[in-house]
Structures are given as structure tokens and as C-alpha cells.
Amino acid sequence: MDIQIAQTILELLRMNTHVKSIIWWVLYLAMVIGLVYGTPKALSYILQSEYPMAAITSRSMWPTLKKGDMVFIKGIASREEIEIGDIVVYQNLQGFTIHRVERKNEGTVVTKGDANNTEDSPVKYEDIIGKTVTFREKPVRIPWLGNVSIALDKK
């Protein structure tokens, strides 16, 4: 009789181990989903931007920003927050462009990629989504992380 009780307890312990394993996997997946969904939402709130992150998809801002970098975008409340030399993100027909402000006009700004020879067409202030977050006067970037976004966008 004692052997049967011991065997039953061992079976319950083994089953308990499987239950624990399932619970840990469910919690792990919930955390991953929370991070994937929650991080952009939290960044949107903190940076006051609908688009808090952007991948660099070209070499037009080399050497400051490299293709595949991920940058953080801070929203702007008024045109007074934009200064010459800022790296801004604006929306156009092709999507988004991330270039440096060369000149400010009455209703527009003129931008240019650091590696480009020519300036872009003037951009209305309303089309500017924000500017890159900087630390010690350099844009905050995560090298190579933007490649994930670039790869997913091609599919």
C-alpha cells in the first residue's frame, strides 16, 4: 500500500512539474507580447509622438545615422521647437524622411541628408512629425535594430 501511495505522489509531482512549465511559458509569452505591444505605446506617451521610433532605411544621413539604425522620435508642439541643425522626421508621398534642417522659412523648412549633395524640396511645418531624441548633441540610435523593421516591411 505504501508503494502505491509513493507512486501516486511521484506522478502528481511530475504532473505538477508539467503544469509549472506550462504556466512559466504562458507568463513568458505574456511578457514578450507585453513588451512588443507596450514598449511602443509607452514610448509614444513619453516622447509625445505617434511614431516614437523609426528605422533608417537609406544612407542619406551617413555618417551620423547609418542604414539599419533605429532612432527615437520626439514629438514637437510648435515650429519654434525646430532649430537649424536638428534632424527631423517628416511625412511625404513616399512615406517618411529623416533629414537635417538646413533653413527655416516662414511656412516651410528646407532639409538635406548629411550625405546628399542637394537640398530636399521645402517641407511644410505641419508635415513634420518630430525630431530625433539627442544625447550630448548626437541622435540616440540603436545600431542594426532598424534592420528588423526594414526586413519586415519588405514582406
Side-chain angles (χ1 to χ4, degrees):
M1 193 77 158
D2 291 332
I3 294 175
Q4 285 181 334
I5 292 173
Q7 287 175 338
T8 304
I9 291 172
L10 283 173
E11 285 178 32
L12 287 173
L13 287 174
R14 278 192 216 114
M15 203 175 357
N16 194 17
T17 303
H18 293 302
V19 171
K20 283 182 186 177
S21 178
I22 291 170
I23 290 171
W24 279 112
W25 274 107
V26 167
L27 288 173
Y28 177 75
L29 288 173
M31 287 186 344
V32 168
I33 290 168
L35 284 172
V36 168
Y37 178 77
T39 299
K41 293 290 183 191
L43 284 173
S44 284
Y45 178 77
I46 292 167
L47 297 175
Q48 298 296 303
S49 173
E50 186 178 350
Y51 305 98
M53 301 176 292
I56 305 302
T57 60
S58 75
R59 291 177 175 81
S60 66
M61 284 301 293
W62 186 87
T64 307
L65 298 172
K66 294 158 185 63
K67 184 176 180 179
D69 286 352
M70 178 71 70
V71 294
F72 298 98
I73 308 302
K74 179 184 184 295
I76 54 169
S78 69
R79 63 175 68 180
E80 286 76 30
E81 292 181 51
I82 299 171
E83 298 178 13
I84 294 173
D86 285 345
I87 299 173
V88 296
V89 180
Y90 62 90
Q91 193 162 14
N92 55 37
L93 296 175
Q94 292 80 30
F96 297 101
T97 301
I98 302 174
H99 281 170
R100 192 177 302 277
V101 174
E102 293 287 312
R103 288 194 318 275
K104 291 175 64 173
N105 300 324
E106 184 63 34
T108 62
V109 295
V110 177
T111 62
K112 180 172 109 40
D114 290 357
N116 293 352
N117 293 324
T118 59
E119 294 178 338
D120 304 324
S121 299
V123 178
K124 294 178 187 174
Y125 283 100
E126 304 87 63
D127 293 334
I128 297 176
I129 292 165
K131 58 185 185 177
T132 58
V133 174
T134 59
F135 179 71
R136 294 186 180 173
E137 299 181 16
K138 292 185 179 182
V140 176
R141 65 185 187 88
I142 302 174
W144 305 297
L145 186 59
N147 286 325
V148 174
S149 176
I150 293 168
L152 292 174
D153 196 38
K154 289 182 181 181
K155 295 185 180 189

